Amino acid sequence: MGYADATVTAPPTVSILETGDELVHAGDPIAEVHIRNSNAPMFAAHFQPSGARPRDLGIGRDQLEELREKVNEGLNACFFLLSGGVSAGEKDFVPQVLSESGVKEIFHKVCVKPGKPIWFGVRENIEGKRTYVFGLPGNPVSSMLCFELFVRPAIRQYLGQASVMPEMVSLPLTKAHVAAGDRPTYYPSHIIPQPEGFAVEPVDWKGSSDLLAPTRANAWIMFPAGNREYVPGDLVEVLMSEW
């Protein structure tokens, strides 16, 4: 094009920390009380389109001193994602440790399902540089949705992209569905080509720990709060997924 100079944005640095005594890495022996650490590779894959190279800090056990050490390490990045430890359990220490490390809480808990416990804060160091901190729920589908709704728009904003919010479209349902609850629910779903256009179908989903369901999905249906029986052909709002 003949331009000698161009304005660019460097890919963000990213730290990822999973928390919980119950977590084990893939390939490690597993006991009845354990669950696989699936969130770290999921987050790393989600960051790839931004050009970021996430640094996995491993697993932070539910011990204050260990969490403090790993949190201080993670705060050296532009974005810091923590998984688990943000609810109201006896060993959910993440909000406490972040506050002690100088992170200012912006919000904690949102009216959405799954993903209600999400925590967000900002730490500004003496040089004026900021670290954007997301404490995501431990359940994998909750974390996946929170990434789409909160983390990905933040990355787009950081990179200076013109459009930062997720894209929503209206599509007809292919089958009946019963929605219930006091929060908007984002339901893993599959967009299907039809002779007259596109339609969307909820997949078989058993809740926020069911990581198999999103492998059959390419979108989320947003069912508003309240009780309603949907029939085939009803228009619903659909979040286009980027996984």
Side-chain angles (χ1 to χ4, degrees):
M1 298 296 295
Y3 292 103
D5 300 293
T7 301
V8 299
T9 302
T13 55
V14 177
S15 295
I16 296 173
L17 176 64
E18 308 79 50
T19 69
D21 291 337
E22 72 280 8
L23 295 178
V24 294
H25 292 297
D28 290 347
I30 191 167
E32 190 172 335
V33 296
H34 292 147
I35 58 175
R36 292 291 183 196
N37 173 22
S38 61
N39 285 354
M42 179 175 68
F43 292 149
H46 279 344
F47 269 107
Q48 285 179 356
S50 70
R53 295 182 177 178
R55 182 185 177 200
D56 186 2
L57 302 181
I59 297 172
R61 302 303 176 186
D62 294 326
Q63 302 171 13
L64 281 171
E65 286 306 317
E66 180 175 343
L67 279 177
R68 289 188 182 108
E69 180 179 346
K70 288 186 175 291
V71 163
N72 286 330
E73 186 178 0
L75 287 172
N76 292 321
C78 298
F79 286 87
F80 184 21
L81 264 68
L82 301 97
S83 172
V86 294
S87 294
E90 182 179 344
K91 293 186 176 182
D92 289 334
F93 299 134
V94 167
Q96 173 188 338
V97 174
L98 290 172
S99 177
E100 293 172 354
S101 300
V103 182
K104 179 183 177 181
E105 178 183 316
I106 305 300
F107 65 80
H108 185 196
K109 298 184 179 179
V110 294
C111 187
V112 67
K113 181 180 179 179
K116 179 180 177 179
I118 184 175
W119 190 100
F120 173 67
V122 178
R123 203 280 293 268
E124 189 166 338
N125 64 21
I126 57 176
E127 299 174 348
K129 295 182 178 180
R130 291 181 174 181
T131 300
Y132 301 97
V133 184
F134 290 88
L136 303 184
N139 280 326
V141 182
S142 298
S143 282
M144 183 181 292
L145 176 64
C146 285
F147 194 100
E148 295 289 344
L149 293 181
F150 300 98
V151 183
R152 197 183 298 282
I155 297 169
R156 289 172 173 163
Q157 183 75 40
Y158 177 89
L159 293 174
Q161 296 181 5
S163 177
V164 299
M165 297 309 295
E167 180 184 0
M168 301 287 290
V169 297
S170 294
L171 294 175
L173 278 172
T174 62
K175 64 180 182 180
H177 182 82
V178 177
D182 59 354
R183 288 173 281 160
T185 298
Y186 285 79
Y187 206 99
S189 307
H190 189 74
I191 295 176
I192 302 171
Q194 300 283 341
E196 64 279 7
F198 291 91
V200 65
E201 181 171 298
V203 303
D204 183 20
W205 180 45
K206 297 178 175 61
S208 58
S209 63
D210 179 12
L211 192 53
L212 181 61
T215 68
R216 300 188 292 263
N218 57 13
W220 308 81
I221 296 175
M222 194 284 288
F223 291 110
N227 302 331
R228 178 179 168 182
E229 295 186 10
Y230 292 82
V231 299
D234 280 348
L235 287 177
V236 291
E237 292 298 303
V238 180
L239 170 65
M240 309 293 288
S241 178
E242 296 190 24
W243 64 64

